[in-house]
Amino acid sequence: MNKIVKVESPGRINLIGEHVDYNGGSVLPGAIDKKVEFIIENIKGSKCFIDSETINKKFEFELSSLEKSNQHWQNYILGTINNIINKRNLKISAFSCKINSSLPIGAGISSSSALISGLAAGLIEINNLQIKKSEIVDIVSDVEHNYIGLKGGIMDQFTILHGQKNKLVHLECHSRNFKYVNAEFNDYQIILLNTNVEHNLANTAYNDRVEECRYALDIINNKYSNKFSYLCEVDSTILESFKVNLDAKVFNRASFVINENLRTYEAAKKLNEFKLVEIGNLMYQSHAGLKDLYEVSCNELDFLVDLTKPYDQIIGSRMMGGGFGGCTINLIHKKFKDEFLDIAHKSYFEKFRIDVTPIEISISDGVKIKNLQTG
Ligand code: GLA
């Protein structure tokens, strides 16, 4: 009998700590109840069959031919399998896979990492491979870097694999040490507002930021005999002393990164102390930095964040994820939610002629695998 597994792989939110993961900083994300689901079945032969019900597309391929495809979405799958077989030297059997997702694509809640992480975890399980979660994080990162072309950090994959119900993951990306923090917001709830825009060249602009940070680190390290492994290790007074040596743009990028990392530690502390208003202030500061110093926001995101500012019933708001579109994350009083969503919908439509989509989430467990049939 063939083996069959069902995999549920969630998206993620990030309360604060944006664009710091690839700079060795700390982040405060959580897995969510919206997810990609897979049914994977081991089959005979060497041909694999993929059927995505979400985008209504199918494709098949041989395990021995995993070259990049000109169909972008297929590369998420081909890259994952190529990595397991050719980079890790592991054997997997042919399989068929049905994919179904409730994660909006391009909303900045990590549908692509959920896809790759879930597939990797499912294939590892069904083939009885002994691979730890931290190694899956590396597999997924590698696929994103080399097959998809996004030189991202580890926040998304790590959260998708380690998430826990009602907990945020305070992860230090340089060491991968992490602590769970209660995601307890009392009368407030996290609501995402999807701008439904995804500006062109987001990947290129993202990779440019990675380069600019690396450049800032190199300049600082030149004077400090390579003391720092990551930009987040540099303290603000050292950075200040480079104000004249660094191009203003690069200085701003570094300044944002270093301060965003400090804000994340502060927010994790405030969450433990249940000081929600302070967390909200940190979220607004984060947005201001992402907009003015890191320059990864856009008019649609700024508009939605500004819209929340007059209301005491909203504690905090900021853009979330890579930027250039996607969602804002908001902490809104439960009783004010409906009224505000109405306001947001009307004002956003009036301004951009686009519908904003609210996404209500709860913080949930990371990847779950269930054996439906053992071979
Ligand atoms: C994307 C990347 C992450 C992270 C965020 C920004 O989601 O995949 O690694 O860098 O952007 O915080």
Side-chain angles (χ1 to χ4, degrees):
M1 220 192 307
N2 294 341
K3 254 178 113 173
I4 305 178
V5 295
K6 177 179 176 191
V7 184
E8 295 180 351
S9 186
R12 62 104 190 88
I13 53 103
N14 184 26
L15 190 64
I16 197 161
E18 221 62 88
H19 284 277
V20 292
D21 59 349
Y22 52 85
N23 286 305
S26 87
V27 292
L28 200 50
I32 59 173
D33 53 338
K34 312 276 177 291
K35 53 201 160 206
V36 186
E37 286 184 5
F38 307 77
I39 302 285
I40 307 176
E41 176 170 3
N42 269 350
I43 53 178
K44 293 217 165 65
S46 57
K47 207 175 223 175
C48 301
F49 301 86
I50 310 291
D51 177 357
S52 168
E53 292 173 357
T54 321
I55 55 171
N56 201 14
K57 282 187 178 152
K58 294 182 181 185
F59 85 110
E60 39 184 84
F61 58 91
E62 290 284 336
L63 280 177
S64 54
S65 93
L66 299 167
E67 294 83 42
K68 273 189 200 166
S69 159
N70 53 13
Q71 298 280 311
H72 187 62
W73 77 277
Q74 298 181 357
N75 288 325
Y76 293 89
I77 316 257
L78 294 168
T80 309
I81 298 157
N82 185 42
N83 198 301
I84 297 176
I85 297 183
N86 296 324
K87 290 204 171 171
R88 312 273 145 170
N89 280 323
L90 296 166
K91 260 199 142 128
I92 64 170
S93 74
F95 66 95
S96 69
C97 174
K98 271 198 169 38
I99 307 171
N100 215 319
S101 173
S102 62
L103 277 179
I105 295 168
I109 49 182
S110 227
S111 57
S112 49
S113 289
L115 178 65
I116 305 174
S117 306
L119 180 64
L123 290 175
I124 286 164
E125 171 70 25
I126 208 166
N127 289 286
N128 294 319
L129 305 173
Q130 301 303 319
I131 295 188
K132 293 197 197 93
K133 279 186 189 171
S134 67
E135 227 182 304
I136 306 182
V137 169
D138 294 326
I139 292 177
V140 183
S141 291
D142 191 82
V143 174
E144 289 180 353
H145 287 196
N146 298 315
Y147 262 74
I148 312 302
L150 188 83
K151 308 287 179 193
I154 59 158
M155 169 170 77
D156 304 353
Q157 309 78 295
F158 196 95
T159 312
I160 289 164
L161 289 155
H162 294 84
Q164 234 180 54
K165 194 171 162 60
N166 296 330
K167 310 269 179 200
L168 295 183
V169 186
H170 185 208
L171 164 69
E172 295 182 321
C173 298
H174 60 278
S175 61
R176 299 195 182 182
N177 288 337
F178 67 102
K179 282 190 189 128
Y180 291 110
V181 186
N182 282 334
E184 193 35 78
F185 300 106
N186 207 9
D187 291 337
Y188 294 83
Q189 89 181 78
I190 295 179
I191 296 191
L192 310 179
L193 290 178
N194 190 354
T195 58
N196 287 315
V197 296
E198 198 187 353
H199 290 291
N200 281 338
L201 299 177
N203 270 15
T204 317
Y206 183 100
N207 292 341
D208 287 348
R209 299 300 179 281
V210 176
E211 271 313 306
E212 286 156 2
C213 291
R214 190 166 303 150
Y215 178 71
L217 180 63
D218 283 349
I219 302 273
I220 296 168
N221 265 334
N222 270 344
K223 196 165 160 200
Y224 280 84
S225 321
N226 292 326
K227 179 174 172 199
F228 305 108
S229 308
Y230 297 101
L231 194 52
C232 285
E233 286 170 14
V234 177
D235 79 33
S236 340
T237 39
I238 293 185
L239 178 67
E240 272 312 305
S241 69
F242 280 87
K243 200 160 188 171
V244 282
N245 307 65
L246 284 174
D247 172 85
K249 184 174 80 178
V250 176
F251 177 84
N252 285 343
R253 306 290 196 245
S255 164
F256 165 75
V257 164
I258 290 168
N259 286 304
E260 179 75 353
N261 185 40
L262 299 177
R263 279 191 285 271
T264 310
Y265 280 101
E266 188 66 12
K269 185 165 164 262
K270 298 295 176 198
L271 195 54
N272 275 319
E273 296 165 357
F274 203 64
K275 295 200 167 135
L276 298 185
V277 174
E278 271 110 323
I279 293 173
N281 290 338
L282 292 164
M283 290 170 75
Y284 282 119
Q285 287 168 27
S286 167
H287 185 79
L290 287 158
K291 171 175 178 275
D292 299 326
L293 302 176
Y294 217 64
E295 297 179 287
V296 290
S297 187
C298 61
N299 291 340
E300 293 85 352
L301 289 165
D302 296 340
F303 179 86
L304 288 176
V305 171
D306 286 343
L307 199 64
T308 64
K309 288 182 179 164
Y311 302 106
D312 290 343
Q313 302 95 322
I314 302 180
I315 289 185
S317 173
R318 61 176 205 87
M319 58 149 275
M320 190 184 76
F324 308 102
C327 289
T328 60
I329 176 168
N330 307 277
L331 273 180
I332 304 185
H333 197 286
K334 288 175 185 159
K335 287 197 178 140
F336 185 56
K337 182 189 77 184
D338 291 340
E339 193 181 325
F340 180 71
L341 292 183
D342 216 32
I343 297 169
H345 194 265
K346 283 192 186 120
S347 339
Y348 189 76
F349 190 80
E350 216 165 84
K351 173 87 180 159
F352 299 106
R353 299 279 138 197
I354 302 171
D355 287 323
V356 66
T357 317
I359 307 176
E360 293 192 35
I361 58 101
S362 57
I363 307 295
S364 303
D365 286 326
V367 169
K368 279 189 191 159
I369 304 180
K370 204 167 160 188
N371 284 304
L372 298 185
Q373 183 174 293
T374 38

